[in-house]
Amino acid sequence: MKTIIRKAVKEDCPQMMELVKELALFEKAPEEVTVDLQHFEDSGFGAHPVWWSLVIADEASGKLIGMALYYIRYSTWKGQRLYLEDLIVSEQHRGRGLGKALFDALLDIAKNEGFRGMVWQALDWNTPALDFYRKYGARLDNEWVNCSLDF
């Protein structure tokens, strides 16, 4: 199968949401996906986008088999940094270097845009992901506690 990495377009959103749901199932939290398609589309392709994404697709069929969704985070200590929200490769396509290709493409974007680095989160039990990030020399920080409020 030949694949292509490209910037996401609005028409990709339904397939992207399916990938998000697959990730949530893998992370044992399928009920946590509460965003609807309209909000997802508006947030990425409306008047004031707050996220961007690269997708990886089967070149022949156009079917999405992976994605990396990101946005800009500002640190008062470091400046602008690319925040990787989700890196997803569909389960049946893992182990073929597609995640690495997406991650490398994100690194290129971060460097080309002049960002001061890239940050993301990974679950502490997701050993394959942690091992993947360690290959890049990523620092894994167990000191900070995630905090959130839902409205």
Side-chain angles (χ1 to χ4, degrees), residues 57-68:
D58 174 346
E59 202 170 45
S61 70
K63 179 174 173 41
L64 299 188
I65 57 176
M67 64 180 255

Side-chain angles (χ1 to χ4, degrees), residues 1-92:
M1 170 191 299
K2 286 190 71 173
T3 59
I4 185 168
I5 294 177
R6 60 174 173 76
K7 289 184 178 182
V9 295
K10 185 176 181 179
E11 293 75 22
D12 291 325
C13 287
Q15 287 187 71
M16 292 172 70
M17 285 298 303
E18 291 305 313
L19 288 167
V20 168
K21 290 175 184 175
E22 181 180 338
L23 176 64
L25 188 62
F26 172 78
E27 292 184 350
K28 302 174 179 72
E31 70 286 348
E32 294 294 323
V33 178
T34 59
V35 67
D36 62 47
L37 181 60
Q38 184 67 51
H39 182 81
F40 187 74
E41 289 176 347
D42 291 346
S43 296
F45 299 96
H48 304 285
V50 297
W51 62 259
W52 298 268
S53 183
L54 295 177
V55 295
I56 189 162
D58 174 346
E59 202 170 45
S61 70
K63 179 174 173 41
L64 299 188
I65 57 176
M67 64 180 255
L69 189 141
Y70 63 95
Y71 53 90
I72 300 168
R73 173 183 172 184
Y74 187 80
S75 165
T76 56
W77 290 13
K78 304 289 184 182
Q80 290 183 0
R81 300 170 71 104
L82 186 148
Y83 186 88
L84 172 58
E85 178 65 24
D86 286 322
L87 177 67
I88 308 163
V89 174
S90 191
E91 185 174 11
Q92 65 267 30

